[in-house]
C-alpha cells in the first residue's frame, strides 16, 4: 500500500465520520440551544416540581416555612435571654408572607423568564432572517459551511487547509452539542431548585443561596442571546467565498460560540456548561 492509498483511506474514514456527525447530531443543536417554556411541558418534571402547593418540591418548601418560623422563634428566645439586639418580628413576618407567596408561583416565574429570553433570541434571529433571507440557525450554518468546504464524500482532503478547517469546525460543533446539552439539564435543575432559592430570601442568613442561584440561571439563559448574536455575525460573513480571510473569520466565530459560556462567566459569573473545561478541571484534580 503506497502513500496515496493510505491518504485515501484516512480521507475516507474522516469523510464517513464527518458525514455521520452532520446527519445525526447537528440537527438537535437548535433544539437544545434555543429553548423556551416548552422544556417544562414534561409530565414527570411537573410532578417533581409540583403542580400545586401540596405536591412535589413545592410541598417540601411549604413545609420548610414552618422550619423558618421555628428558627426565628428560637433565635428570638435566645436573643431575649442573652439581651442581644432584639429581633424585629414585623420585618420577618413580612418577608415570610411575601416570599412564601412568590415561592409558590416559582414555576410560573421560571416559565415567564424562559419565554422572555426566548423572545429576545428569536427577535435577534428574525432580524437576520429579514436581512439575509435565510433561517438563522445551526442547521443552515452547517449547510452553508459544508457547501463550501465539504461538498461530498469524495471532495474532502484531511491534509488540506479545508480539511483542517472542517476538522476544527466538526470538533467544535461536537463540543457545542455536549456543552449545550449540559446547559439544558442545568437549567432544568435550577428550575427545580427555584422554590428553595426563593424560600432562602426569608432569612438574611440564607440570601446568599438565592444570589448564587439567580446568577447561575441568568448566566445560562444569557448564552442563548449571545449565541443568536454570534450567529447573526457569522451569517453577515460571505460564507460562500473561497477567500482564506473569510474562512478564518468563520473559524473565529465558531470558537466564539464554544467560548460563549466563558464570556458570560467572566461578565456576570455563574456556572460553567463548557464540557471541555469541566473535563480538564476533573483531570487536573486527579
Amino acid at each position: 500500500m503506497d502513500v496515496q492509498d493510505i491518504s485515501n483511506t484516512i480521507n475516507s474514514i474522516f469523510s464517513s465520520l464527518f458525514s455521520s456527525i452532520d446527519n445525526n447530531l447537528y440537527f438537535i443543536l437548535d433544539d437544545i440551544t434555543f429553548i423556551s417554556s416548552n422544556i417544562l411541558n414534561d409530565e414527570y418534571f411537573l410532578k417533581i416540581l409540583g403542580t400545586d402547593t401540596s405536591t412535589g418540591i413545592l410541598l417540601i418548601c411549604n413545609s420548610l416555612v414552618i422550619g423558618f418560623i421555628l428558627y426565628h422563634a428560637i433565635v428570638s428566645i435566645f436573643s431575649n435571654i442573652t439581651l442581644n439586639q432584639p429581633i424585629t418580628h414585623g420585618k420577618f413576618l413580612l418577608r415570610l408572607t411575601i416570599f412564601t407567596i412568590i415561592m409558590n408561583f416559582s414555576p410560573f416565574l421560571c416559565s415567564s423568564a424562559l419565554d422572555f429570553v426566548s423572545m429576545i433570541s428569536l427577535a435577534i434571529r428574525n432580524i437576520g432572517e429579514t436581512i439575509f433571507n435565510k433561517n438563522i440557525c445551526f442547521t443552515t450554518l452547517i449547510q452553508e459551511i459544508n457547501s463550501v468546504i465539504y461538498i461530498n464524500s469524495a471532495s474532502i482532503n484531511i491534509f488540506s487547509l479545508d480539511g483542517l478547517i472542517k476538522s476544527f469546525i466538526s470538533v467544535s460543533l461536537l463540543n457545542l452539542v455536549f456543552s449545550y446539552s449540559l446547559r439544558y439539564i442545568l437549567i432544568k435543575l435550577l428550575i427545580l431548585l427555584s422554590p428553595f432559592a426563593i424560600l432562602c430570601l426569608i432569612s438574611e442568613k440564607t440570601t446568599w443561596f438565592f444570589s448564587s442561584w439567580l446568577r447561575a440561571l441568568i448566566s445560562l439563559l444569557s448564552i442563548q442571546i449571545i449565541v443568536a448574536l454570534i450567529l447573526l455575525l457569522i451569517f453577515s460573513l460571505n460564507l460562500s467565498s473561497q477567500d482564506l480571510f473569510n474562512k478564518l473569520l468563520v473559524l473565529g466565530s465558531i470558537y466564539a460560540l464554544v467560548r460563549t459560556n466563558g464570556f458570560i462567566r467572566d461578565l456576570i459569573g455563574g456556572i460553567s456548561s463548557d464540557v471541555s473545561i469541566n473535563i480538564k478541571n476533573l483531570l487536573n484534580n486527579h
Side-chain angles (χ1 to χ4, degrees):
M1 180 178 290
D2 57 21
V3 175
Q4 186 61 40
D5 291 335
I6 296 175
S7 176
N8 291 337
T9 301
I10 294 175
N11 288 332
S12 178
I13 292 173
F14 276 93
S15 174
S16 299
L17 176 62
F18 293 152
S19 178
S20 176
I21 293 175
D22 289 347
N23 295 330
N24 295 290
L25 280 181
Y26 293 156
F27 73 92
I28 68 170
L29 258 176
D30 293 308
D31 294 332
I32 61 177
T33 304
F34 301 109
I35 60 176
S36 65
S37 60
N38 290 334
I39 68 170
L40 304 183
N41 295 335
D42 183 328
E43 178 183 357
Y44 295 107
F45 180 84
L46 290 175
K47 286 182 178 180
I48 295 173
L49 181 58
T51 55
D52 53 54
T53 58
S54 60
T55 59
I57 291 177
L58 287 178
L59 173 61
I60 298 175
C61 289
N62 279 294
S63 301
L64 287 176
V65 172
I66 301 176
F68 275 98
I69 295 174
L70 291 175
Y71 171 77
H72 180 77
I74 293 172
V75 170
S76 297
I77 293 172
F78 276 98
S79 177
N80 292 329
I81 294 175
T82 57
L83 301 178
N84 288 334
Q85 183 178 358
I87 305 297
T88 53
H89 301 291
K91 181 179 178 181
F92 170 76
L93 291 176
L94 181 62
R95 293 169 67 105
L96 179 73
T97 303
I98 292 175
F99 293 123
T100 299
I101 295 173
I102 295 176
M103 179 265 294
N104 284 293
F105 283 95
S106 57
F108 170 76
L109 295 175
C110 289
S111 176
S112 299
L114 288 171
D115 284 335
F116 177 72
V117 173
S118 177
M119 285 189 295
I120 294 177
S121 62
L122 184 59
I124 295 172
R125 293 162 64 198
N126 285 338
I127 292 174
E129 291 179 10
T130 302
I131 297 174
F132 307 117
N133 294 319
K134 59 182 70 174
N135 292 328
I136 307 300
C137 61
F138 284 104
T139 303
T140 306
L141 173 64
I142 294 162
Q143 290 172 352
E144 294 269 343
I145 293 174
N146 285 344
S147 66
V148 178
I149 299 176
Y150 178 52
I151 299 174
N152 54 58
S153 60
S155 66
I156 189 170
N157 181 1
I158 196 64
F159 301 106
S160 66
L161 180 59
D162 281 352
L164 292 175
I165 292 175
K166 174 61 182 176
S167 301
F168 177 83
I169 291 174
S170 294
V171 172
S172 299
L173 290 176
L174 188 60
N175 182 21
L176 287 181
V177 171
F178 292 118
S179 296
Y180 292 162
S181 296
L182 176 59
R183 168 183 172 266
Y184 185 96
I185 296 299
L186 288 176
I187 287 176
K188 297 192 75 169
L189 176 61
L190 289 174
I191 291 173
L192 285 178
L193 292 175
S194 60
F196 293 106
I198 296 173
L199 199 65
C200 286
L201 290 171
I202 293 176
S203 173
E204 293 181 354
K205 296 182 181 297
T206 55
T207 53
W208 63 268
F209 181 79
F210 174 82
S211 299
S212 299
W213 170 86
L214 183 61
R215 190 180 301 112
L217 183 62
I218 291 176
S219 68
L220 290 175
L221 292 179
S222 299
I223 290 175
Q224 185 166 325
I225 299 174
I226 302 300
V227 167
L229 289 171
I230 294 176
L231 285 176
L232 198 62
L233 289 175
I234 294 177
F235 280 97
S236 68
L237 303 174
N238 186 7
L239 296 178
S240 61
S241 172
Q242 293 289 343
D243 183 69
L244 178 60
F245 180 71
N246 275 321
K247 291 180 180 180
L248 292 178
L249 287 179
V250 171
L251 284 180
S253 301
I254 297 297
Y255 184 70
L257 286 171
V258 175
R259 294 289 300 139
T260 299
N261 184 244
F263 299 153
I264 297 295
R265 288 187 67 200
D266 292 340
L267 185 64
I268 62 175
I271 57 180
S272 175
S273 62
D274 191 326
V275 172
S276 60
I277 293 178
N278 289 329
I279 292 177
K280 182 180 179 180
N281 292 336
L282 182 63
L283 294 175
N284 290 336
N285 292 334
H286 290 80

